[in-house]
Amino acid sequence: MAEPNIPGHGPVAKTRGEWTGRISSITREPLSSAPRFTARLSEIKGAAIPVPESGQSARDIRLLWLGRRKVGGIEPGSTLRVSGMLTTRGGLATIINPAYEIISAPQA
């Protein structure tokens, strides 16, 4: 079966898995846009993350929660275990609405 293709983004690889890492940044959308919350997971441990455009593994995973402007406990420096369907959006490894567990809060 052929991989789905998103115009301008090429083939989309889909991988289900679990990864652990640290939140390096978060992005909040303006109130005038559709609600969504984005965080970047870095220092990743877990399965290899394929990125079809480059053929190399990614260093970060973008976590994208649709329909939410905030996710409690998720802030830069938090360590999370996330799971879900990993795909590629705009050349970035992305999990939409991931399941997550907060392992530790940021150190002050």
Side-chain angles (χ1 to χ4, degrees), residues 28-37 64-69:
R28 292 191 173 99
E29 298 296 323
L31 292 175
S32 60
S33 68
R36 70 181 192 178
F37 180 83
L64 175 60
W65 284 270
L66 301 175
R68 299 178 77 171
R69 294 202 183 276

Side-chain angles (χ1 to χ4, degrees), residues 6 9 12-17 19 35-41 49 60-68 71 74 82-100:
I6 297 175
H9 298 291
V12 177
K14 291 185 179 179
T15 305
R16 183 167 293 283
W19 296 270
R36 70 181 192 178
F37 180 83
T38 306
R40 177 90 39 134
L41 190 69
I49 305 166
D60 296 337
I61 297 175
R62 176 175 46 191
L63 306 174
L64 175 60
W65 284 270
L66 301 175
R68 299 178 77 171
V71 177
I74 296 184
V82 300
S83 62
M85 182 64 73
L86 184 85
T87 187
T88 318
R89 294 187 79 183
L92 296 173
T94 302
I95 302 175
I96 299 173
N97 295 327
Y100 67 96

Side-chain angles (χ1 to χ4, degrees), residues 22-35:
R22 186 183 57 79
I23 298 296
S24 59
S25 66
I26 60 172
T27 303
R28 292 191 173 99
E29 298 296 323
L31 292 175
S32 60
S33 68

